[in-house]
Amino acid sequence: QVTLKESGPGILQPSQTLSLTCSFSGFSLSTSGICVSWIRQPSGKGLEWLATICWEDSKGYNPSLKNRLTISKDTSNNQAFLKITSVDTADTAIYYCARMGQLYYFDYWGQGVMVTVSS
Amino acid sequence: DVVLTQTPVSLSVTLGDQASISCRSSQSLEYSDGYTYLEWYLQKPGQSPQLLIYGVSNRFSGVPDRFIGSGSGTDFTLKISRVEPEDLGVYYCFQATHDPFTFGSGTKLEIK
């Protein structure tokens, strides 16, 4: 059974660095063809793909966030991470992690974690 | 970046009727390997998105055959025949052919 769960700080202040963790089970990020992605959704708005990391450590980022993103993984502990530097109120959103397979679809999603950026 | 334009923005359908959602891409979504990385997701109220269709027309495991994806190149359609109450929510198309990956802006399906 595949599950993913996001965790984060809940609230942080503008200019701080947001650190998110995706803890998963039922699959390994060392398995060929497997990736984990981060997607976010501001309240009442649509979905935005942020970043993806794959089994062989290849990474992809959404350039709209202008080099503020860093994705990484800990294969041994079944975790993936996302850091977003210099946050501001526009980064307030629900952040999801999702598994991505060889055909690049998100087949399993976490429940999402709400992150609020506020002074 | 590839822009996915979904129409309509919202859709009100009578139970048992058909619903149709369009997703038009600013570029062809056929990759050099011949595959088209176009997917459809449904986000039910208060839930995470769930995969319905991948590769234009392949239903994901457990998705009823009422959901039919079609299209090619830049024009894609999701049809829902015999709409049921559990189909309400926001439908998104998504492309993974071109970097960066992008979502459509969503179509909200309401039940009359």
Side-chain angles (χ1 to χ4, degrees), chain A residues 27-50:
Chain A
F27 69 96
S28 172
L29 246 182
S30 61
T31 299
S32 178
I34 296 296
C35 308
V36 168
S37 295
W38 287 93
I39 299 108
R40 72 180 179 181
Q41 183 173 40
S43 180
K45 296 191 178 179
L47 301 166
E48 179 182 30
W49 171 76
L50 298 177

Side-chain angles (χ1 to χ4, degrees), chain A residues 66-110:
Chain A
K66 295 190 176 88
N67 302 319
R68 297 169 52 216
L69 302 176
T70 303
I71 193 169
S72 59
K73 61 182 171 74
D74 179 346
T75 304
S76 300
N77 288 308
N78 287 339
Q79 291 180 316
F81 310 98
L82 183 71
K83 286 191 191 302
I84 306 179
T85 60
S86 304
V87 297
D88 68 12
T89 55
D91 296 307
T92 295
I94 296 174
Y95 286 78
Y96 298 99
C97 63
R99 189 181 84 159
M100 198 176 217
Q102 283 185 322
L103 294 180
Y104 290 93
Y105 53 75
F106 305 117
D107 53 0
Y108 294 93
W109 295 66

